[in-house]
Amino acid sequence: MTTAAAKSLENRNIRTGLMAFAGAVAMLGLGYAAVPLYELFCRVTGFGGTTQRATEGEADLAARMGAAAGGQQISIRFDGTVAPGLGWDFRPEQRTDTVTIGQRDMAIYVARNNSDRPVTGTATFNVEPEQAGAYFNKIQCFCFTEQTLQPGQEVRMPVLYFVDPKALDDANMEGVEQITLSYTFHEAKK
């Protein structure tokens, strides 16, 4: 093999090695970015029943849109469970409510720490049917932060929410008469 051919082969090998290294670094970066990107995707689209977070201004706009839509109503069902080993009781004060689409409403959940130690919990949530997640907006929620309960402590925790009137224009929401808001409390990771 000539010197020029050997040099060309060496350059190609270096280029291939650098491209493989760059590909590995890119895959590592995508691996770290996958979870936040997936969470962002779910929040934006409501995928998998992920609810939306709203501001007071968005709630006011939804109320005006809801009034213009004729005050249609929908049933909301509330569900609350705890992960095994948490040592809490957790339930909604009221199992169902009928709300006007676009209007703010409040649900109250009750949690009680039955253990003999302080326990910090965090709530995961979901909405069913899945397509309703894009239209179920929470303004304030205990699920936005961790909750610490002392031994024997019982607390009432509110969720301020509304159903976006845009749901009335979505063919996938046609025939949906009830939305279920579910929470599960887990012990927070230390």
Side-chain angles (χ1 to χ4, degrees):
M1 188 180 294
T2 67
T3 307
K7 186 71 170 162
S8 175
L9 179 61
E10 184 179 328
N11 286 342
R12 281 187 284 164
N13 287 344
I14 290 172
R15 207 171 338 152
T16 301
L18 288 173
M19 288 182 358
F21 179 74
V25 169
M27 294 303 281
L28 182 66
L30 284 173
Y32 278 105
V35 171
L37 289 174
Y38 180 74
E39 288 174 353
L40 176 64
F41 170 77
C42 290
R43 274 197 313 270
V44 169
T45 64
F47 181 76
T50 302
T51 61
Q52 308 301 305
R53 252 178 127 156
T55 64
E56 290 287 340
E58 291 167 324
D60 292 339
L61 176 62
R64 289 191 298 276
M65 289 172 55
Q72 289 185 322
Q73 295 187 320
I74 192 164
S75 174
I76 309 293
R77 181 178 169 273
F78 304 102
D79 183 40
T81 59
V82 295
L86 182 63
W88 285 14
D89 289 330
F90 175 66
R91 62 176 173 74
E93 268 189 349
Q94 184 177 336
R95 288 280 174 204
T96 61
D97 193 11
T98 301
V99 300
T100 301
I101 293 178
Q103 296 297 312
R104 278 177 232 171
D105 207 335
M106 184 184 305
I108 304 289
Y109 281 77
V110 179
R112 179 178 175 79
N113 180 357
N114 296 319
S115 74
D116 59 356
R117 64 182 177 89
V119 177
T120 300
T122 184
T124 57
F125 53 86
N126 194 21
V127 168
E128 286 294 327
E130 279 187 20
Q131 66 268 29
Y135 304 107
F136 196 95
N137 292 268
K138 291 187 279 188
I139 302 165
Q140 295 176 1
C141 183
F142 58 86
C143 63
F144 295 161
T145 59
E146 293 180 344
Q147 305 296 320
T148 300
L149 299 183
Q150 299 303 315
Q153 182 182 11
E154 182 174 291
V155 294
R156 296 175 74 235
M157 300 181 292
V159 179
L160 187 59
Y161 68 93
F162 67 92
V163 177
D164 193 322
K166 293 176 187 169
L168 299 171
D169 299 327
D170 187 343
N172 291 323
M173 287 292 291
E174 193 172 310
V176 174
E177 296 176 0
Q178 186 175 65
I179 297 172
T180 300
L181 175 63
S182 296
Y183 290 98
T184 302
F185 256 103
H186 304 268
E187 189 161 0
K189 295 178 180 162
K190 296 180 178 22

